[in-house]
C-alpha cells in the first residue's frame, strides 16, 4: 500500500480512544470495528473539506485491511486518511490506524460516488477532485476485481448468516461493517491466524437486503496451490469466503498471512 505522505497538509489526521464496543474478548480491535472507524473518519474528512452536502453518498467496492500489529483495549487510535488514486466517479482512500502502544492497521478502500436517485455512480466535482489529487498523481484509476467466487461443491464449510433489521443501512442494504462481522465469526474458529500479520480483503458485487437468506461458503486453498491469487502468495495458504444468496454472489473475502 502507498506509504503515508507524512508530514503533508492534506493528510486528514484525527485521534479517538478505542472503546469497549470495538474489541473482542481478548481486547483486540475487531475488523468490523476498524471498518466502521474507516467510514467514520471518511465522513469527518468529507465534512471538513466542505463537500458533505454535495457528495453525501458513497458506496464501497473493496476494502483491504492489513493487521500488522493488533491494537488493544485502552489504546488511543491515531487515524490518518488520504487519497491514493482518483477517477471521475471513484477514488481509492488510504487509512492508517496507529495505536500509541505500537499496534498498526493499514487499509485501502475503493469508493464510488453514488447518486441515490439514479442508483448509479455520479461524477465527482472538479473542486473536490482537486483536493483529493494533492496526495496522489494517479488520476485514471480503474476497477479490477481481485477475487473470484468459490463453488458449493468443494467448499470446506457452508453456513447461514442471519441478516437482522439492525444490519440494514441508509441504502436499505446490509451495512459494510456487517460483512466484516462475518470475517470475525470465521476467525473465531481459527485464532492462530491472528497471531501473525494478516491481510483481509472484501469485495462487494451486489447488495444484501433484509430478508435475504445469506450463506457463507468457505474454502481453504493450501500453500502450493495459491499462485492463482498472485505469484507472491504461492508459499502460503489462502482462505476465501463467498457471500451468496441462492445463486447470486453478493461479496467475496480473502484471508491470508502477510
Amino acid at each position: 500500500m502507498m506509504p503515508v505522505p507524512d508530514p503533508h497538509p492534506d493528510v486528514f489526521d484525527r485521534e479517538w480512544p478505542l472503546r469497549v464496543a470495538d474489541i473482542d474478548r481478548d481486547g483486540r480491535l475487531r475488523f468490523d470495528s476498524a471498518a466502521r472507524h474507516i467510514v467514520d473518519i471518511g465522513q469527518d474528512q468529507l465534512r471538513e473539506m466542505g463537500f458533505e452536502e454535495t457528495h453525501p453518498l458513497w458506496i464501497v467496492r473493496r476494502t483491504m485491511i492489513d493487521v500488522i500489529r493488533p491494537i488493544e483495549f485502552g489504546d488511543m487510535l491515531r487515524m490518518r486518511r488520504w487519497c491514493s488514486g482518483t477517477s471521475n466517479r471513484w477514488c481509492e482512500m488510504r487509512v492508517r490506524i496507529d495505536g500509541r502502544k505500537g499496534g498498526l492497521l493499514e487499509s485501502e478502500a475503493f469508493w464510488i460516488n453514488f447518486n441515490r436517485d439514479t442508483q448509479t455512480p455520479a461524477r465527482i466535482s472538479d473542486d473536490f477532485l482537486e483536493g483529493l489529487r494533492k496526495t496522489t498523481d494517479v488520476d485514471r484509476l480503474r476497477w479490477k476485481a481481485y477475487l473470484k467466487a468459490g463453488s458449493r461443491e468443494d467448499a470446506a464449510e457452508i453456513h447461514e448468516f442471519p441478516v437482522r433489521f439492525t444490519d440494514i443501512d441508509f441504502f436499505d442494504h446490509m451495512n459494510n461493517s456487517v460483512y466484516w462481522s462475518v470475517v470475525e465469526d470465521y476467525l473465531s474458529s481459527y485464532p492462530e491466524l491472528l497471531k501473525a500479520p494478516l491481510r483481509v480483503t472484501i469485495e462487494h458485487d451486489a447488495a444484501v437486503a433484509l430478508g435475504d437468506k445469506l450463506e457463507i461458503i468457505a474454502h481453504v486453498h493450501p500453500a502450493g496451490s495459491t499462485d492463482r491469487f498472485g505469484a507472491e502468495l504461492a508459499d502460503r495458504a489462502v482462505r476465501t469466503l463467498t457471500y451468496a444468496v441462492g445463486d447470486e454472489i453478493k461479496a467475496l473475502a480473502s484471508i491470508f498471512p502477510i
Side-chain angles (χ1 to χ4, degrees), residues 7 21 45 70 109 122-123 142 168 203 228 252-253:
Q45 184 181 20
R123 184 178 177 84
R142 297 184 184 278
I168 303 303
E203 292 183 349
R228 76 188 79 172
L252 304 162

Side-chain angles (χ1 to χ4, degrees), residues 15-16 71 74-78 97-104:
E15 289 190 355
W16 57 72
I71 298 176
D75 212 339
M76 180 68 70
L77 306 179
R78 181 188 181 189
I97 309 177
D98 288 272
R100 289 181 179 175
K101 299 177 182 179
L104 173 62

Side-chain angles (χ1 to χ4, degrees), residues 38-162:
I38 290 166
V39 172
D40 288 345
I41 193 172
Q43 188 173 4
D44 289 354
Q45 184 181 20
L46 191 69
R47 182 183 306 113
E48 294 203 21
M49 288 177 69
F51 294 105
E52 189 176 34
E53 292 187 6
T54 57
H55 297 72
L57 303 178
W58 295 79
I59 296 291
V60 66
R61 191 74 166 87
R62 174 172 54 230
T63 306
M64 183 185 302
I65 298 179
D66 289 356
V67 179
I68 310 300
R69 294 179 296 275
I71 298 176
E72 299 177 347
F73 182 59
D75 212 339
M76 180 68 70
L77 306 179
R78 181 188 181 189
M79 305 189 65
R80 285 173 284 180
R81 187 177 194 262
W82 68 99
C83 182
S84 57
T86 65
S87 187
N88 290 333
R89 290 172 172 79
W90 46 73
C91 60
E92 278 189 333
M93 301 298 295
R94 284 272 284 110
V95 176
R96 177 184 169 112
I97 309 177
D98 288 272
R100 289 181 179 175
K101 299 177 182 179
L104 173 62
L105 272 67
E106 298 274 17
S107 75
E108 185 168 66
F110 190 106
W111 290 97
I112 300 174
N113 186 38
F114 196 72
N115 185 308
R116 194 181 190 193
D117 295 331
T118 63
Q119 296 287 297
T120 59
R123 184 178 177 84
I124 303 172
S125 67
D126 290 341
D127 52 347
F128 192 2
L129 279 175
E130 182 181 357
L132 293 176
R133 288 173 177 165
K134 291 180 179 179
T135 55
T136 181
D137 57 5
V138 178
D139 59 5
R140 295 181 180 275
L141 179 67
R142 297 184 184 278
W143 168 256
K144 180 180 179 180
Y146 294 162
L147 307 178
K148 294 182 180 180
S151 68
R152 297 176 183 274
E153 287 71 23
D154 61 350
E157 59 182 275
I158 302 175
H159 70 270
E160 187 173 348
F161 187 87

